[in-house]
Amino acid sequence: MYCIYTNREVPQNKGNWDHVIPLSLGGSNAFCVWSDVGFNSEMGSRVDGAIANDFLVQILRQRNDARGHSNRPVEPVWRKSTMNDRPVQVKFPADVTQPIQVWDAKAGANIEEADLAGQPLTSEHRISIDDNLRFLAKVALGAGQFILQEEFRTGVDCNELRGLLAFRRSDEKTHHAVKSSKLIIAHRFDPTLANSDQGKMYQAACRRTPGTSLVIMQKHKGYLSFHLGILGEFMGSVFCPSTSSLWPISNEDQGVVLELTKGQVTRHTLLEWFKAWHDELGKEEGQGTASSDA
């Protein structure tokens, strides 16, 4: 069976099924591709795990109870924190009705809730854009294989996506490969998105349904693009140069939208999905007008 990530045939005893979007990020057992077991293990930690443990994504996971394989509830912990110049750790309990817990490292105990009121709390976090880029590349490879199969492999230079997946800023070889790539990439922190109508549209599309993870694959002349949302938040877009075989033949062929909600996958054509969104916006505007008139 073919593995899109390693670009080779992988026998059953050396492969397994990879969730294109991990369960911990709102994925589904129905959205998987065949993968080399060694690759799957490495990328599960280096790529999927890095995003799942991003402190912003952890908040989303907790809010939506996205547990993953372990089935453990998500309890974000802010380790590099200080309160009144004392080192502390901040824990957000799985039961969101409970107060946050602040562990005083020197005292070896939680600070009482009454003593937290009005106290300044500082926390340091690291967010890696490189992790985000690798994750976008991995999802684009998996989603392209899942949706288009051989048509994707022959219509797009998948080696450019594999190069982005292997990207390490400290590695001159992989860094050069990404710098010379023809991919167009917009990650979730890209400042240009704020001034781009298209960027705003895809950000809004990914936030359309809170808790839903989303893959939008769009065909347009010369490019195949993937737009990714995780649990109701936009993660980024990848535009891949494509051959003429992937250019749209009809309006119905312009793209596909996969919605992943509570382990279920719903597939739409791009046009019907955006039409439904447009109709919903129209109803909301109509209700707003009716309310103001009343």
Side-chain angles (χ1 to χ4, degrees), residues 83-84 86-89 100-105 107-117 119 121:
M83 177 178 285
N84 293 325
R86 293 176 67 84
V88 298
Q89 290 187 6
I100 64 172
Q101 300 172 4
V102 181
W103 172 265
D104 186 324
N110 285 328
I111 300 174
E112 294 293 331
E113 185 179 357
D115 296 330
L116 295 175
Q119 298 300 313
L121 176 68

Side-chain angles (χ1 to χ4, degrees), residues 20-22 25-28 31 135-136 139-140 143 147 201-217 225-238 256-262 264-270 273-274 277:
V20 178
I21 294 180
L25 299 175
S28 167
F31 189 28
F135 185 62
L136 288 173
V139 173
I147 297 169
M201 179 183 70
Y202 286 115
Q203 285 179 318
C206 291
R207 293 169 181 158
R208 173 189 173 201
T209 309
T212 294
S213 292
L214 188 72
V215 175
I216 303 173
M217 186 198 73
S225 62
F226 295 90
H227 312 277
L228 175 63
I230 294 298
L231 299 170
E233 284 297 327
F234 177 75
M235 294 296 287
S237 301
V238 182
V256 171
V257 178
L258 296 180
E259 283 187 291
L260 294 86
T261 307
K262 296 182 178 179
Q264 303 298 313
V265 181
T266 308
R267 181 169 176 154
H268 316 267
T269 69
L270 187 72
W273 191 82
F274 272 110
W277 183 23

Side-chain angles (χ1 to χ4, degrees), residues 36-81:
D36 175 89
V37 68
F39 174 91
N40 196 355
S41 177
E42 178 186 355
M43 292 298 107
S45 172
R46 182 176 170 227
V47 179
D48 297 341
I51 296 299
N53 291 313
D54 176 309
F55 86 101
L56 292 175
V57 175
Q58 279 194 323
I59 297 298
L60 290 174
R61 291 179 58 208
Q62 184 186 59
R63 185 184 303 162
N64 295 284
D65 197 25
R67 301 189 179 195
H69 286 291
S70 70
N71 200 35
R72 291 195 300 267
V74 182
E75 296 186 317
V77 177
W78 294 357
R79 302 187 185 284
K80 294 185 177 180
S81 303

Side-chain angles (χ1 to χ4, degrees), residues 157-169:
D157 185 353
C158 294
N159 282 330
E160 292 209 329
L161 287 169
R162 294 184 188 107
L164 180 58
L165 179 56
F167 172 55
R168 292 182 186 271
R169 200 170 294 272

Side-chain angles (χ1 to χ4, degrees), residues 92-280:
F92 296 81
D95 183 351
V96 296
T97 64
Q98 297 299 309
I100 64 172
Q101 300 172 4
V102 181
W103 172 265
D104 186 324
K106 290 184 177 179
N110 285 328
I111 300 174
E112 294 293 331
E113 185 179 357
D115 296 330
L116 295 175
Q119 298 300 313
L121 176 68
T122 302
S123 190
E124 296 182 12
H125 301 277
R126 174 185 174 273
I127 296 178
S128 171
I129 292 175
D130 296 352
D131 289 340
N132 205 146
L133 298 180
R134 286 188 284 266
F135 185 62
L136 288 173
K138 183 174 180 290
V139 173
L141 279 167
Q145 172 67 14
F146 181 87
I147 297 169
L148 294 175
Q149 299 184 36
E150 187 174 352
E151 185 184 3
F152 174 67
R153 305 197 296 269
T154 57
V156 168
D157 185 353
C158 294
N159 282 330
E160 292 209 329
L161 287 169
R162 294 184 188 107
L164 180 58
L165 179 56
F167 172 55
R168 292 182 186 271
R169 200 170 294 272
S170 59
D171 183 335
E172 181 58 33
K173 183 178 179 180
T174 60
H175 196 180
H176 177 75
V178 171
K179 287 174 66 176
S180 62
S181 172
K182 296 179 181 178
L183 299 172
I184 300 174
I185 310 162
H187 57 77
R188 57 179 159 155
F189 304 113
D190 195 329
T192 61
L193 292 173
N195 300 316
S196 164
D197 289 339
Q198 190 177 44
K200 291 177 183 177
M201 179 183 70
Y202 286 115
Q203 285 179 318
C206 291
R207 293 169 181 158
R208 173 189 173 201
T209 309
T212 294
S213 292
L214 188 72
V215 175
I216 303 173
M217 186 198 73
Q218 184 176 8
K219 298 181 182 182
H220 40 102
K221 190 171 183 180
Y223 283 92
L224 181 70
S225 62
F226 295 90
H227 312 277
L228 175 63
I230 294 298
L231 299 170
E233 284 297 327
F234 177 75
M235 294 296 287
S237 301
V238 182
F239 294 78
C240 312
S242 65
T243 64
S244 58
S245 65
L246 283 179
W247 296 350
I249 299 171
S250 67
N251 287 338
E252 292 299 318
D253 191 41
Q254 287 188 346
V256 171
V257 178
L258 296 180
E259 283 187 291
L260 294 86
T261 307
K262 296 182 178 179
Q264 303 298 313
V265 181
T266 308
R267 181 169 176 154
H268 316 267
T269 69
L270 187 72
L271 290 181
E272 69 185 12
W273 191 82
F274 272 110
K275 182 180 183 303
W277 183 23
H278 181 270
D279 291 345
E280 287 176 12

